[in-house]
Amino acid sequence: MKPIYFDYNATTPPYPEVGEAMLPFLSTAYGNPSSIHAFGRQAKEALMVAKEKVSGFFGVDSDTLVFTSGGTESNNFALKGALEFLKSKGNHIVTSKVEHVSILDCCKYLESKGVQVTYLDVNEAGLISLEELEKALTPQTIFISIQTANNETGVIQPIVEISALARARGILFHSDIVQAVGKMELDFNLFDMASISTHKMYGPKGVGGLYLKKGLKLEALIHGGNQERKRRGGTENLAGMVGFGKACEILKEKMKEEIVQIQKHKERLESFCKENFEVHINGEGAPRLCNTVNVTFPKIQSEALLLNLDLEGICASSGAACSSGSLEPSHVLMAMGYDEALALSSIRFSLGAQTSSEDLNRLFEVLPFVVQRLS
Amino acid sequence: METGKLKTRKKRVVVALSGGVDSSVAAALLKEEGHEVIGISMQLYDQSKLEDTRFDSCCSLKEVDVARRVAQILEIPYYVLNFEDVFQDKVVNYFVDEYLKGRTPNPCVRCNTDVKFHHLIRKARELNADYLATGHYVRNLYNETLGEYELLKAKDRQKDQSYFLFGTDPKELPFLLFPLGDLTKPEVRAIAQKYNLPNAHKAESMEICFIPSNNYKAFIQEHLEEKGENLDTGGEIISEDGSSIGKHEGYHHYTIGQRKGLGISNPAHPLYVLDVNQSSKTVTVGSEDKLYMDGLIVQNVNWLRQPSSPNIHLKIRHSQTEIEASLEQAGDSQTFKVYFHKPHKSVCPGQAAVFYEDETLLGGGWIDRGFHKK
């Protein structure tokens, strides 16, 4: 029996065309884009085309995108690079308690270097308060980093208002948009910096990007070469970038209809859970992504639930996995005011382009059986 | 292998995989028999704390990687479950507390009883398993006369691990499988080789898994510092008549029967640790003959099967020949006086005393103290 995938927020299956587009660059088209000869030109050409496809999808100038190794590097680049560049202007940054660990760990590191960080609370629905954000800003504040959508709950933060607040004060606004890409319309005019990960949008792993508003200069995180206009050294991950381009090309065409279809599946899944079990849909009071259902089954351990689902061929997830893969309570749910037991009773189904009605039917067969046995 | 339970139909069996060769082969054998096998490893302590040390004992991160590889080779689902809290509570804290009481703890028995079996059985049931299997060398057979399961020593007596299982709840025996009970270690290694398991030739682990380089003194010190406790455990080394003959830096560094590392020379005869006293912080030393005891008091006794006579065989160390002894109930129903038929040394408070009748594991408990006949 083929396992059914409900973990698109962890990673997405690449579009079949993505792998096909990448293959030549893993075999015959092996040139280095920096070389002047025929192989180099072929590689450079592919790189330019990929970049155009990416910038075309995001609706930005191709110069504003720096290719990186993924979301985590982009977040590190944004925070450390901006701080280095702006440290004469202040040493305070504002973020939230529900950010991805790559933002939170980066902030902890910056704190150890003497930077002041304010971690905004969220309410029960997972939203930050704009009033608290405004109160947290000081003349020393150099940037705000707030995610667009949360990876665990799918909760969407009020980025239009955050952006306006930042602009009015002349403070940079960075957003981790990794989970939002492909799942909602994004207006890049809102951002000064935005982090993107390709494998969350039907592309390959090991590649991503950082959007930098025109004219914004950051200190490089990785020195060593003229690649990416000296903003990111190292020979390009050409196959990855080509895959990124292909994924963007397809998304540009299909995203709107995908969102409608995924949203329908999501609503069906939520209705099923509410009708059949005593559950709580997390972040329900907030605007949420079209694909994420984070649900608490009180008194059932998420670990037991996930393992039993896996044994039945249903792949879902929960919280953050630690080094060896065992479960820890989610910092996102804890920030939303859950106690540890409830946080450890929550699981996430994240849907995507390839999710089908049949997939949900199978889930609806298995879930009541497993939940009943564990209750 | 012990297949009586498995003859009827395909069963779902959870196997506790440590990353060692034994549990890996247990899983391979069950898979070979056509059962639905699920591998589980226990995460017992925070790996990042131990990163600096060379460390590859049971259940460390590297072992988890080996277990994962074994599961891939056998094509079975594999999960790592977090048992850090229960391990800290039942094993690590117990280990430190016992030393600070002047006793000699046995963390491996504790882990087997209070962590491995108790919690793994619960997890296996959560996964709707019919059985939980481990790589212990022990046999679990149905005794038709008694109408119940009993634990018997392994066929390979050198490898027999029944000693570690004396605390098993007898009600759980029907749920447990020990596929290695009828095999020898060389046979197990040969099966591992047949399956190309990465640990086929791995050496046995001997260390206490959570203590780097077996340095338990440093471990206890760090444990106390982490908890913000600074216990002064230093005191006097005294002879049997109570007179001071030296100083020590911590009574918990001494174990009854210890000879080396006393730092005291005695021209007449070698000195051995005879007693470690928490309240007076003293370590009593004396001649070897004083180590010989006539019996011991054992507490918290767990019975897997009632003895058919008061005469039993006793083990007070895992790797030790059995002692002939007689049992007599003393005090509460779980406390017994054990009389050795011949005097015996190395009776360490805090260690396990395990009872056998021929091949059968009867049960056992924890040694409170040894005694001399008046």
Side-chain angles (χ1 to χ4, degrees):
Chain A
M1 184 180 53
K2 202 169 151 249
I4 300 171
Y5 194 69
F6 291 109
D7 203 11
Y8 280 72
N9 288 10
T11 194
T12 47
Y15 291 126
E17 299 91 329
V18 165
E20 284 166 28
M22 290 170 71
L23 270 178
F25 300 93
L26 297 167
S27 55
T28 51
Y30 52 80
N32 184 329
S34 300
S35 304
I36 57 163
H37 48 60
F39 283 96
R41 282 195 302 278
Q42 182 192 31
K44 186 77 174 180
E45 165 85 19
L47 183 62
M48 302 310 292
V49 170
K51 210 159 219 189
E52 274 164 28
K53 287 177 178 171
V54 173
S55 55
F57 170 59
F58 290 118
V60 300
D61 190 305
S62 64
D63 287 352
T64 61
L65 284 168
V66 183
F67 282 159
T68 67
S69 66
T72 293
E73 183 188 326
S74 296
N75 281 337
N76 271 266
F77 183 17
L79 266 54
K80 292 173 186 167
L83 186 90
E84 191 65 25
F85 187 67
L86 297 167
K87 62 185 173 190
S88 60
K89 295 189 180 170
N91 74 335
H92 176 237
I93 59 186
V94 178
T95 185
S96 83
K97 290 184 177 169
V98 296
E99 298 299 312
H100 186 261
V101 68
S102 59
I103 294 286
L104 294 176
D105 280 0
C106 214
C107 286
K108 271 186 232 154
Y109 165 78
L110 294 174
E111 279 183 298
S112 77
K113 299 287 173 190
V115 177
Q116 287 192 319
V117 182
T118 301
Y119 300 90
L120 296 174
D121 288 319
V122 295
N123 65 13
E124 270 179 31
L127 290 169
I128 65 152
S129 145
L130 290 164
E131 283 158 38
E132 277 182 37
L133 169 62
E134 197 164 3
K135 271 191 244 164
L137 301 176
T138 75
Q140 290 292 308
T141 309
I142 48 177
F143 64 85
I144 297 167
S145 178
I146 303 282
Q147 63 190 187
T148 293
N150 187 268
N151 54 321
E152 294 185 29
T153 59
V155 168
I156 299 169
Q157 297 295 346
I159 49 169
V160 175
E161 291 80 359
I162 297 169
S163 175
L165 210 62
R167 291 277 153 85
R169 307 269 191 128
I171 295 168
L172 290 184
F173 173 39
H174 165 255
S175 189
D176 175 349
I177 63 169
V178 164
Q179 292 293 343
V181 174
K183 300 168 193 160
M184 60 187 278
E185 296 289 346
L186 289 167
D187 175 5
F188 274 66
N189 290 316
L190 298 174
F191 311 124
D192 296 306
M193 301 180 278
S195 301
I196 302 156
S197 168
T198 310
H199 77 99
K200 313 274 196 202
M201 45 177 286
Y202 310 102
K205 292 169 188 63
V207 61
L210 180 66
Y211 164 77
L212 291 175
K213 188 180 64 179
K214 223 172 177 67
L216 180 62
K217 286 195 173 67
L218 291 194
E219 184 61 40
L221 187 67
I222 297 178
H223 299 92
N226 292 326
Q227 294 91 349
E228 298 296 297
R229 298 176 177 248
K230 291 199 177 181
R231 293 174 298 190
R232 207 266 187 187
T235 299
E236 294 87 347
N237 172 5
L238 187 56
M241 291 171 183
V242 168
F244 191 179
K246 191 47 125 180
C248 285
E249 187 185 335
I250 298 169
L251 267 177
K252 191 176 178 185
E253 198 187 314
K254 290 192 179 169
M255 188 176 98
K256 277 205 175 84
E257 67 186 79
E258 277 181 12
I259 290 176
V260 172
Q261 178 198 321
I262 295 168
Q263 177 80 31
K264 275 186 195 156
H265 289 323
K266 177 192 142 183
E267 282 163 13
R268 202 178 145 215
L269 174 52
E270 287 189 358
S271 306
F272 180 84
C273 287
K274 286 196 226 168
E275 281 162 21
N276 289 280
F277 318 110
E278 292 281 319
V279 292
H280 183 243
I281 306 288
N282 301 312
E284 200 171 20
R288 282 179 301 139
L289 292 174
C290 60
N291 80 318
T292 310
V293 180
N294 190 308
V295 53
T296 300
F297 291 84
K299 293 180 186 153
I300 298 182
Q301 285 196 342
S302 50
E303 187 174 71
L305 194 49
L306 288 175
L307 267 47
N308 276 286
L309 288 175
D310 181 46
L311 291 171
E312 299 294 334
I314 303 283
C315 305
S317 85
S318 150
C322 84
S323 55
S324 63
S326 67
L327 295 181
E328 283 172 10
S330 146
H331 74 280
V332 175
L333 296 178
M334 298 293 274
M336 287 162 71
Y338 290 63
D339 62 24
E340 202 172 298
L342 274 184
L344 285 171
S345 301
S346 306
I347 71 171
R348 177 187 73 189
F349 298 98
S350 47
L351 321 182
Q354 283 98 318
T355 305
S356 69
S357 299
E358 292 72 40
D359 292 347
L360 287 177
N361 293 345
R362 174 73 186 140
L363 173 62
F364 297 166
E365 272 173 41
V366 170
L367 196 56
F369 160 75
V370 172
V371 168
Q372 194 190 8
R373 202 162 49 68
L374 294 174
S375 294
Chain B
M1 92 182 244
E2 149 216 311
T3 49
K5 287 175 186 172
L6 297 172
K7 271 177 188 155
T8 44
R9 62 179 174 93
K10 179 171 174 169
K11 301 284 188 184
R12 179 177 277 188
V13 185
V14 165
V15 181
L17 289 179
S18 70
V21 64
D22 296 332
S23 54
S24 305
V25 167
L29 290 171
L30 290 163
K31 169 88 180 177
E32 196 172 82
E33 294 207 337
H35 300 292
E36 183 192 356
V37 179
I38 300 163
I40 283 190
S41 291
M42 298 177 292
Q43 169 152 321
L44 297 177
Y45 35 80
D46 182 357
Q47 312 298 338
S48 58
K49 282 189 191 166
L50 301 164
E51 259 172 19
D52 300 342
T53 50
R54 181 206 63 80
F55 209 56
D56 54 0
S57 60
C58 167
C59 309
S60 68
L61 193 55
K62 200 172 139 195
E63 291 306 282
V64 164
D65 290 341
V66 176
R68 196 183 296 282
R69 183 84 196 96
V70 167
Q72 281 164 356
I73 292 170
L74 298 177
E75 297 179 325
I76 60 172
Y78 171 73
Y79 306 107
V80 180
L81 302 181
N82 192 327
F83 286 79
E84 278 177 33
D85 290 348
V86 63
F87 188 76
Q88 181 71 34
D89 181 37
K90 299 283 185 190
V91 181
V92 178
N93 292 345
Y94 144 84
F95 178 81
V96 174
D97 290 349
E98 284 284 278
Y99 266 118
L100 293 179
K101 284 180 192 159
R103 292 156 64 94
T104 309
N106 193 327
C108 299
V109 171
R110 274 288 165 144
C111 180
N112 269 298
T113 312
D114 291 351
V115 183
K116 276 188 191 162
F117 284 99
H118 185 68
H119 289 271
L120 273 178
I121 285 171
R122 197 163 52 82
K123 290 288 174 187
R125 292 218 162 97
E126 273 179 14
L127 295 181
N128 213 13
D130 298 296
Y131 298 107
L132 170 70
T134 72
H136 285 98
Y137 287 84
V138 64
R139 290 177 296 156
N140 180 12
L141 291 181
Y142 187 72
N143 182 322
E144 297 203 350
T145 323
L146 296 170
E148 59 193 25
Y149 281 93
E150 53 184 9
L151 284 187
L152 305 177
K153 288 176 197 165
K155 189 175 159 197
D156 184 344
R157 289 297 152 84
Q158 293 293 312
K159 285 301 303 174
D160 172 52
Q161 289 172 321
S162 56
Y163 172 89
F164 294 104
L165 304 182
F166 77 83
T168 311
D169 181 348
K171 289 197 294 294
E172 300 294 5
L173 291 181
F175 190 65
L176 300 176
L177 293 178
F178 302 103
L180 306 190
D182 283 323
L183 297 174
T184 64
K185 188 81 183 192
E187 285 168 340
V188 166
R189 287 202 190 277
I191 294 166
Q193 208 166 351
K194 185 178 106 187
Y195 281 93
N196 260 327
L197 300 183
N199 47 21
H201 302 289
K202 206 174 76 173
E204 304 277 317
S205 59
M206 292 300 200
E207 298 186 334
I208 297 172
C209 70
F210 55 95
I211 299 184
S213 341
N214 247 355
N215 186 348
Y216 79 89
K217 293 173 192 174
F219 178 85
I220 290 172
Q221 199 58 40
E222 276 168 31
H223 181 90
L224 293 176
E225 278 167 15
E226 247 172 50
K227 287 171 92 180
E229 290 173 25
N230 196 2
L231 281 183
D232 179 14
T233 52
E236 306 278 333
I237 297 179
I238 59 175
S239 63
E240 287 169 90
D241 61 12
S243 57
S244 175
I245 55 171
K247 288 197 181 303
H248 65 80
E249 288 182 353
Y251 63 82
H252 61 279
H253 299 169
Y254 299 87
T255 299
I256 288 177
Q258 177 180 341
R259 182 180 156 191
K260 289 176 187 159
L262 296 182
I264 297 168
S265 64
N266 185 36
H269 55 80
L271 290 175
Y272 292 82
V273 174
L274 302 181
D275 188 35
V276 178
N277 190 309
Q278 176 195 12
S279 52
S280 62
K281 298 181 189 174
T282 52
V283 173
T284 310
V285 298
S287 57
E288 186 180 12
D289 58 304
K290 296 293 193 320
L291 282 174
Y292 282 85
M293 296 285 169
D294 295 311
L296 57 80
I297 310 282
V298 57
Q299 295 175 322
N300 298 315
V301 171
N302 177 60
W303 292 109
L304 285 137
R305 210 200 82 189
Q306 290 302 318
S308 52
S309 103
N311 291 323
I312 49 106
H313 286 94
L314 174 73
K315 262 189 169 188
I316 54 174
R317 286 280 152 99
H318 170 49
S319 52
Q320 192 188 46
T321 50
E322 288 168 19
I323 303 166
E324 288 183 36
S326 309
L327 283 172
E328 179 187 301
Q329 193 156 336
D332 68 76
S333 63
Q334 283 187 291
T335 304
F336 288 81
K337 260 186 139 170
V338 182
Y339 294 94
F340 304 153
H341 293 177
K342 277 185 245 165
H344 212 275
K345 65 175 183 175
S346 310
V347 177
C348 279
Q351 288 286 300
V354 181
F355 316 136
Y356 293 90
E357 200 170 272
D358 300 322
E359 289 188 306
T360 308
L361 172 67
L362 296 173
W366 299 95
I367 298 172
D368 178 47
R369 61 189 162 84
F371 61 79
H372 297 289
K373 273 183 202 152
K374 290 286 176 260

